[in-house]
């Protein structure tokens, strides 16, 4: 029996065919963005021709921090609260992204290879509410 999954925030990511962050790339200068902005923010570009791009795959853990306290509302979590890890990851596609790390702090180290995944953040009303996370590869 598989659980019903629903994104915590719609239209930011998907998981069909592999986890993807739904961002954009500038057609003028190739700068990657997540989430997609209205205009390119590269001061040397100034373009506004952005194309949708799904970022995923592997990356490198740039930095991380362990949160030993429960996040404030409106963030939700499954009780009882368990410390979790927030990572900053450089995806191989050129995007630096903040996200929760799957699992606990054991084995975390700057420079570790990670992969983008979509996993439950909390459960409510019989559903698993998901977000993107990074898992040690
Ligand atoms: Zn640009």
């Amino acid at each position: 029996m598989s659980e019903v999954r629903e994104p915590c925030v719609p239209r930011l990511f998907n998981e069909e065919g592999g986890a993807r962050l739904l961002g954009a790339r500038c057609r003028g200068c190739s700068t990657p963005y997540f989430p997609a902005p209205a205009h390119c923010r590269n001061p040397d570009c100034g373009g506004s021709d952005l194309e949708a791009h799904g970022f995923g795959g592997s990356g490198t853990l740039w930095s991380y921090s362990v949160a030993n306290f429960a996040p404030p509302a409106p963030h939700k979590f499954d009780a009882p609260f368990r410390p979790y890890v927030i990572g900053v990851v450089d995806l191989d596609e050129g995007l630096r992204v903040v996200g929760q790390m799957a699992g606990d702090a054991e084995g975390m180290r700057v420079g570790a290879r990670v992969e983008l995944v979509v996993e439950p953040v909390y459960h409510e009303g019989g559903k698993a509410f998901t977000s993107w996370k990074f898992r040690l590869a």
Side-chain angles (χ1 to χ4, degrees):
M1 192 175 94
S2 66
E3 63 186 357
V4 176
R5 293 162 71 102
E6 184 173 315
C8 287
V9 179
R11 294 180 297 280
L12 276 183
F13 61 91
N14 64 25
E15 59 182 314
E16 294 78 26
R20 288 269 169 208
L21 300 174
L22 303 179
R25 239 184 225 288
C26 176
R27 282 195 171 101
C29 67
S30 297
T31 299
Y33 292 101
F34 174 74
H39 305 280
C40 181
R41 295 192 292 259
N42 176 355
D44 296 326
C45 175
S48 59
D49 189 11
L50 297 154
E51 65 180 333
H53 187 87
F55 297 93
S58 299
T60 302
L61 187 57
W62 182 78
S63 186
Y64 70 94
S65 180
V66 179
N68 286 306
F69 52 89
H75 293 279
K76 297 180 177 179
F77 55 90
D78 287 334
F81 170 77
R82 292 172 49 168
Y84 62 101
V85 182
I86 304 269
V88 182
V89 168
D90 285 332
L91 286 175
D92 294 344
E93 289 190 274
L95 190 69
R96 179 169 286 173
V97 186
V98 176
Q100 188 172 333
M101 303 297 294
D104 59 25
E106 191 170 339
M108 294 291 165
R109 61 175 178 75
V110 169
R113 293 293 291 164
V114 300
E115 62 178 347
L116 183 77
V117 295
V118 171
E119 289 194 352
V121 174
Y122 67 93
H123 296 76
E124 190 174 84
K127 289 183 186 172
F129 287 85
T130 59
S131 188
W132 72 89
K133 294 185 183 180
F134 297 99
R135 179 191 298 143
L136 292 175

